[in-house]
Amino acid sequence: MFLCTGNSARSQIAEALVTRMTGGEVEAASAGSHPKALHPNAVRVMRKRGIDIRGNRTKHLDEFVAQRFDMVITLCDRVREVCPEFPSHPRLVHWSIPDPALAAPGSRASYPAFERTATELEARIAFLLHLLNE
């Protein structure tokens, strides 16, 4: 489970990358503490990677509180502070990744920040998957 504040970019990107990188063998989900609409640059940066997320729905983390997860990864400091306790007592991991939507005003101007975010998430997820497979 990937959590961030808006579930509009970072967590959506991470969820899609895990699904792609594991061929669907690892079930990933994403949510936010204050969901917003899916950011167009998140859709663009994933489309560039051959992944279509434009139909994804943003979700509130309360939808998942009763579900079982092996791992919960918080992607921003704010959501880390409000992360609920999950009944399955998953392993909690925190990756402090800046919100790419705040990098520059305007949708098009912030695209490079989304590219950097996706690249960073890709590297972190690859490392995590490597550790989990050891």
Side-chain angles (χ1 to χ4, degrees):
M1 164 63 86
F2 291 96
L3 299 177
C4 67
T5 305
N7 190 224
S8 62
R10 293 166 288 187
S11 54
Q12 292 278 350
I13 290 169
E15 176 185 1
L17 286 170
V18 166
T19 301
R20 165 62 70 83
M21 293 167 76
T22 65
E25 288 185 33
V26 173
E27 188 177 335
S30 68
S33 58
H34 295 87
K36 299 185 283 189
L38 191 60
H39 198 287
N41 282 336
V43 173
R44 285 184 193 102
V45 80
M46 295 312 289
R47 183 175 42 229
K48 182 179 173 188
R49 287 167 166 73
I51 303 171
D52 185 4
I53 65 168
R54 68 183 159 194
N56 287 15
R57 177 177 71 87
T58 59
K59 302 156 297 282
H60 194 280
L61 60 87
D62 287 347
E63 290 184 39
F64 297 95
V65 170
Q67 290 189 24
R68 178 176 162 30
F69 295 100
D70 296 319
M71 185 175 289
V72 172
I73 301 174
T74 53
L75 301 174
C76 70
D77 298 335
R78 277 197 251 154
V79 81
R80 181 184 190 190
E81 294 172 5
V82 298
C83 185
E85 287 200 30
F86 290 86
S88 59
H89 304 289
R91 180 175 172 197
L92 299 177
V93 176
H94 179 64
W95 296 343
S96 186
I97 297 177
D99 185 351
L102 301 177
S107 183
R108 293 277 183 201
S110 66
Y111 182 81
F114 281 81
E115 184 60 46
R116 285 189 302 274
T117 297
T119 299
E120 180 176 351
L121 284 167
E122 222 164 15
R124 287 178 183 245
I125 290 166
F127 183 73
L128 177 66
L129 293 173
H130 175 73
L131 288 177
L132 294 176
N133 286 326
E134 286 186 340

